[in-house]
Amino acid sequence: MVGHRPQKTLPSKEDILGFIATQSGKVGTREIARAFGLKNADRAELKAMLRELEDDGRVDRKRKKLHHPGMLPDMVLAEVTTRDRDGELIAVPADWDTDTNGEAPRIRIHVPRRARPGEIPGVGDRALLRTEDVGAEDGIRYRGRVVKLIGQARNRVIGVFRALPDGGGRLVPIEKKNVGRELAIPSGRTLDAQDGDLIAVEVQRHGRFGTTSAQVKERLGSVATEKAVSMIALHVHGIPHVFPREVLREAETARPAALTGREDWRDVPLVTIDPVDAKDHDDAVFARPDTDPKNPGGFVIDVAIADVAHYVRPGSALDREAALRGNSVYFPDRVVPMLPERISNELCSLKPGEDRAALAVRMVIDATGHMRSHVFHRILMRSAAKLNYAQVQAAIDGRTDATTAPLLHMVLAPLYAAYGALQKARSEREPLDLDLPERKILLKADGSVDRIVTPPRLDAHRLIEEFMILANVAAAETLEKVRTPLIYRVHDQPSMDKLEALREFLASIDMSLPKTGALRAAGFNRILAKAKGRDVEILVNEVVLRSQAQAEYASENYGHFGLNLRRYAHFTSPIRRYADLVVHRGLIRGLRLGDGGLPDGVDLLSLGEVAAKISAAERRAMAAERETVDRLIAHFLADRIGASFEGRISGVTRAGLFVKLDDTGADGFIPASKIGNDYFRHHEGKHALIGDKTGETYRLGDRVSVRLVEAAPIAGALRFELLSEGTITRTDKRRPGRAKHKPSEPKEKRSNRVGKRPGTARRKR
């Protein structure tokens, strides 16, 4: 290594940090030892030094590579945001955790002289970049080369059309970041849009002064009905939702798979277990006691997954569209599928009594739920029944129906017995066990919200979850064994910064977090267990969740922290996730199971590009789904202005408080300027706003009463007025001049808040 001569003594920590900073490739214990001429006897001490550097937060270990925290990986999905004074393009990472790593680093994009027009990004585009650290140049440390353009910007803005007397109109944007930035639409460019229509416009001219003009390109429907709500999210996030003709043509010409080249499993009584309203059924399960005398109390578990790879071949129109979409997107009123219905709801839906192609894994577990062996098969199957979670749970609890009664002893009871064994292994593994209820919106026939419910969490749900996790582990292990590249589902451990913030918060409620050593998922579970039954239970669950990293897809493995698994891949839902389809193709290629396998030219580099794109698509889908729920609930509550609600503080920022209502789960905002007659400061570590003068405190998780004062359904925004008093956490007063009264609030307001109002919720001490 240039600049590092072999030496006999151990390097200092500063020497190690300096060496890591100079390297662009993989840096691990072996590379450091080689650079400093260390022998095998010295490596134990070197590893101890590296662990200390990790514990101190001075280096991160990710994907078997050591690097400084906050540094970019070699490959990154980035958004082109601006040009510098020399006209060069500047980008920032599309997925950057500012809470953990601070301000996102800027990347100067290098465009080769001979680049073709389609290879050159513009402001607003997304691109996959190969980055290198070139040192600080005008404050820009990284240079990036475009590997692939992900999506080029269209000057499209979504909003509500407001008609003007002259025949033109104005567009009121629906994105929160564009609220108040209206666009002028001249007469003749309205596409006959009517007042109140949801429209998509193309920006025509950016004026130096005044508003910007635009032309209507598409009418998306009236915003008077909730049916337009999910369309807003689709257009705002650029989610493809109309299949090209070529894709539909390929789907329509596809024919069911035959038995040729497959094992005949049609006599195996596999069953599907899904939500009651599911339209596609891509996984089926069966279990039976193992008859091998060497495995007493063990089970044989079969998990069969629809063989999507048989119908969606690499490089086909279906494949290109599926890769573009990345995953299916689920809204309360519709599903935007990754694949056309001819594939997802017909040929690949494991319907009872019909022959279907599948990729199956047969797994043998022992009495304690540990996997002894697993083998993959390409099969033709015939589902014995289509069941739903509540139906299966009722049968196990003694309430069978015409469908479940014949299956109870032969199919359902063995499934639950095998699940009982898997529970033992899960308890031993101790994955992260957060307890946060999920709400579901039920709609009326006209698309409006009927009610919002919290479905019970049944053992039937957990059974399928454990079977799928086991199959996913088997897929990852098999692909590693046959040396076939794959896309892992990975989840990094929490960053040092987030752990420190969690430690500070827990200390404020008389709980503690270990200060040294790596914290495993089991450590978080012990914290959650201590909070169970206390008034801070929901609060602690929320804060622990926020301390976690985000799961993603990657071609290199660094484990799944939340599940506490060393290797994990998504295999069980290729109908709705492209990552699973890639894993299926890898298994077909690696195990020589026939046609439709991973092409020979696919390697870690190309799979790394795919993983980056589908991770971004997953985050895009999550944002769209969340925003649609917000808009639907805002519609639901729009006629209840002035009503009072009970809830909990779900977010604390410098600008104010977010409150989640108990009955609907709706989130609304209370500006800090509207809280009391004091100056409230944001205490990040305590997740609280605390009054300078009074010490009045509003903290994450506190129960509060609020009044709804404004609802903006199109933006999905609610604004509340706080009715509850905060908790007084101290009695001392600060020095004169530190307390500030807001000029916008009269002094009389404070007198109106003395004493506890009826219905006021105080946090228990």
Side-chain angles (χ1 to χ4, degrees):
M1 298 290 179
V2 177
H4 292 274
R5 296 179 179 178
Q7 59 185 53
K8 294 182 179 180
T9 58
L10 279 172
S12 67
K13 291 181 180 179
E14 284 67 29
D15 290 336
I16 294 174
L17 291 173
F19 173 72
I20 293 173
T22 64
Q23 304 305 300
S24 59
K26 175 184 173 183
V27 181
T29 306
R30 180 183 301 175
E31 288 75 21
I32 296 173
R34 186 180 301 159
F36 291 97
L38 304 180
K39 303 300 182 183
N40 290 337
D42 300 319
R43 294 198 177 190
E45 293 185 52
L46 175 61
K47 288 180 179 179
M49 293 176 67
L50 293 176
R51 281 195 297 270
E52 290 176 5
L53 287 171
E54 282 187 78
D55 291 341
D56 293 340
R58 302 178 72 184
V59 296
D60 284 345
R61 185 186 299 272
K62 188 171 185 179
R63 306 182 191 182
K64 299 182 180 179
K65 176 179 178 180
L66 290 164
H67 61 89
H68 289 289
M71 290 182 65
L72 287 179
D74 297 336
M75 191 82 69
V76 66
L77 184 68
E79 293 179 347
V80 183
T81 57
T82 186
R83 290 182 182 270
D84 63 14
R85 63 182 62 184
D86 297 323
E88 292 189 284
L89 294 166
I90 306 298
V92 296
D95 181 35
W96 184 262
D97 192 338
T98 55
D99 291 339
T100 300
N101 298 320
E103 185 179 354
R106 292 183 294 166
I107 309 164
R108 180 178 282 109
I109 297 178
H110 172 73
V111 179
R113 292 182 179 180
R114 296 185 179 181
R116 290 174 292 184
E119 299 173 342
I120 303 174
V123 174
D125 291 352
R126 278 193 165 200
L128 195 65
L129 303 179
R130 183 177 297 282
T131 64
E132 59 176 327
D133 188 343
V134 294
E137 294 181 4
D138 300 328
I140 300 178
R141 181 173 180 175
Y142 294 94
R143 181 169 60 201
R145 294 177 180 269
V146 176
V147 174
K148 185 177 294 185
L149 284 179
I150 303 302
Q152 291 189 293
R154 299 175 183 176
N155 264 340
R156 280 171 76 92
V157 179
I158 310 298
V160 178
F161 181 76
R162 295 303 180 196
L164 296 176
D166 63 359
R170 301 179 74 81
L171 178 128
V172 180
I174 50 85
E175 291 187 82
K176 294 178 182 178
K177 65 181 181 181
N178 290 328
V179 170
R181 301 178 183 177
E182 296 188 349
L183 302 178
I185 303 174
S187 177
R189 297 184 182 179
T190 65
L191 204 67
D192 297 325
Q194 303 299 308
D195 190 79
D197 276 357
L198 180 68
I199 57 173
V201 304
E202 185 177 86
V203 177
Q204 297 291 304
R205 176 179 57 81
H206 290 282
R208 186 173 181 181
F209 302 103
T211 59
T212 302
S213 65
Q215 179 174 349
V216 178
K217 287 295 184 180
E218 188 177 3
R219 294 172 61 186
L220 305 175
S222 173
V223 297
T225 171
E226 286 88 335
K227 288 184 177 180
V229 169
S230 57
M231 290 298 295
I232 295 174
L234 291 176
H235 286 277
V236 166
H237 292 280
I239 296 174
H241 61 284
V242 177
F243 286 107
R245 291 181 181 178
E246 184 183 8
V247 174
L248 294 175
R249 190 181 305 116
E250 281 190 3
E252 290 302 320
T253 56
R255 293 293 174 262
L259 182 59
T260 305
R262 298 177 181 274
E263 298 178 37
D264 191 347
W265 281 31
R266 286 176 290 184
D267 291 335
V268 179
L270 292 149
V271 296
T272 61
I273 306 175
D274 295 290
V276 67
D277 55 353
K279 293 182 174 59
D280 55 62
H281 312 274
D282 60 349
D283 59 87
V285 295
F286 178 64
R288 59 191 178 279
D290 189 3
T291 58
D292 185 350
K294 296 180 180 179
N295 187 27
F299 292 88
V300 179
I301 297 175
D302 294 333
V303 174
I305 307 297
D307 190 357
V308 177
H310 173 78
Y311 300 100
V312 183
R313 298 299 176 92
S316 65
L318 277 167
D319 181 48
R320 292 193 300 271
E321 184 69 14
L324 177 66
R325 296 185 176 215
N327 48 252
S328 298
V329 187
Y330 294 85
F331 299 112
D333 65 329
R334 74 179 75 201
V335 176
V336 180
M338 185 179 79
L339 298 168
E341 289 189 5
R342 166 71 175 161
I343 303 295
S344 60
N345 290 10
E346 293 294 332
L347 295 175
C348 289
S349 187
L350 307 180
K351 297 183 176 182
E354 298 187 20
D355 291 355
R356 288 290 184 264
L359 200 60
V361 56
R362 178 159 286 169
M363 301 169 287
V364 178
I365 63 171
D366 62 22
T368 61
H370 293 89
M371 189 150 53
R372 292 166 59 95
S373 65
H374 49 76
V375 182
F376 283 84
H377 307 261
R378 210 169 190 186
I379 68 169
L380 194 70
M381 60 161 285
R382 186 180 294 161
S383 171
K386 180 183 74 172
L387 308 173
N388 64 67
Y389 292 116
Q391 181 184 25
V392 170
Q393 191 65 52
I396 291 296
D397 293 341
R399 301 186 305 278
T400 58
D401 57 26
T403 303
T404 57
L407 301 171
L408 180 60
H409 298 294
M410 183 179 68
V411 177
L412 300 184
L415 283 173
Y416 271 75
Y419 165 59
L422 291 177
Q423 279 185 303
K424 297 175 184 176
R426 177 187 172 88
S427 296
E428 181 182 325
R429 193 176 82 242
E430 288 196 85
L432 187 61
D433 191 18
L434 291 167
D435 184 16
L436 294 168
E438 295 185 10
R439 291 178 173 83
K440 183 176 182 178
I441 296 179
L442 302 180
L443 303 179
K444 300 177 183 176
D446 63 357
S448 61
V449 177
D450 181 20
R451 63 189 188 279
I452 300 166
V453 299
T454 303
R457 178 81 168 151
L458 306 173
D459 277 345
H461 294 101
R462 299 184 180 93
L463 182 153
I464 294 298
E465 182 179 283
E466 288 303 313
F467 278 37
M468 297 304 113
I469 289 174
L470 198 68
N472 288 337
V473 170
E477 289 181 352
T478 298
L479 287 172
E480 286 187 355
K481 184 177 180 180
V482 297
R483 299 182 182 278
T484 301
L486 70 147
I487 291 178
Y488 293 92
R489 181 64 169 178
V490 291
H491 180 218
D492 207 359
Q493 61 186 5
S495 67
M496 295 297 295
D497 288 344
K498 285 191 174 183
L499 285 178
E500 188 56 41
L502 176 61
R503 183 177 292 109
E504 185 178 348
F505 163 73
L506 291 174
S508 72
I509 56 172
D510 300 323
M511 296 179 70
S512 62
L513 188 70
K515 291 185 177 181
T516 59
L519 186 64
R520 298 182 180 274
F524 288 104
N525 290 341
R526 285 191 285 273
I527 294 169
L528 298 173
K530 290 179 182 178
K532 198 167 186 64
R534 296 175 55 184
D535 59 338
V536 295
E537 179 179 357
I538 294 178
L539 166 63
V540 172
N541 273 267
E542 289 277 3
V543 178
V544 168
L545 175 63
R546 296 178 191 198
S547 72
Q548 303 303 306
Q550 187 172 25
E552 61 182 348
Y553 295 105
S555 60
E556 297 182 36
N557 183 31
Y558 56 90
H560 198 295
F561 177 82
L563 293 175
N564 195 17
L565 291 169
R566 293 179 61 187
R567 55 186 61 83
Y568 191 66
H570 273 167
F571 158 77
T572 54
S573 197
I575 282 179
R576 62 184 179 91
R577 294 186 305 226
Y578 193 76
D580 303 53
L581 177 56
V582 173
V583 168
H584 275 233
R585 289 171 175 168
L587 290 166
I588 293 168
R589 167 178 146 183
L591 300 174
R592 300 179 181 178
L593 297 177
D595 298 332
L598 205 63
D600 290 337
V602 174
D603 56 14
L604 281 177
L605 178 61
S606 58
L607 285 186
E609 296 176 14
V610 173
K613 288 196 294 183
I614 60 179
S615 293
E618 179 185 42
R619 291 188 289 272
R620 176 183 68 185
M622 291 171 62
E625 291 166 0
R626 182 177 61 249
E627 291 170 11
T628 298
V629 168
D630 289 344
R631 291 186 176 106
L632 281 170
I633 294 179
H635 270 283
F636 183 57
L637 296 176
D639 60 353
R640 300 187 65 185
I641 302 297
S644 298
F645 302 90
E646 298 297 315
R648 287 184 182 271
I649 296 175
S650 60
V652 182
T653 69
R654 185 177 301 175
L657 303 173
F658 289 91
V659 174
K660 184 184 290 291
L661 303 185
D662 291 341
D663 51 354
T664 63
D667 277 301
F669 185 64
I670 304 172
S673 60
K674 303 297 182 182
I675 304 175
N677 193 22
D678 202 342
Y679 186 89
F680 284 83
R681 294 183 185 272
H682 180 218
H683 291 248
E684 186 175 1
K686 296 181 179 179
H687 295 268
L689 287 181
I690 302 177
D692 261 6
K693 181 180 180 181
T694 62
E696 188 173 11
T697 300
Y698 294 94
R699 188 166 59 177
L700 184 70
D702 282 359
R703 294 203 58 79
V704 291
S705 298
V706 297
R707 179 182 293 117
L708 179 61
V709 295
E710 184 180 355
I714 297 304
L718 300 173
R719 187 164 63 84
F720 296 136
E721 176 188 7
L722 191 61
L723 301 179
S724 300
E725 293 179 343
T727 301
I728 304 299
T729 58
R730 59 180 171 81
T731 57
D732 59 299
K733 294 185 179 180
R734 299 196 176 200
R735 296 188 304 272
R738 291 296 301 276
K740 299 180 182 179
H741 296 279
K742 296 185 177 68
S744 60
E745 296 179 344
K747 293 181 180 180
E748 290 77 14
K749 182 173 181 179
R750 188 63 184 171
S751 63
N752 291 336
R753 299 178 68 248
V754 173
K756 185 178 179 182
R757 294 182 178 181
T760 297
R762 284 186 180 269
R763 181 174 51 79
K764 297 178 181 178
R765 296 297 293 169

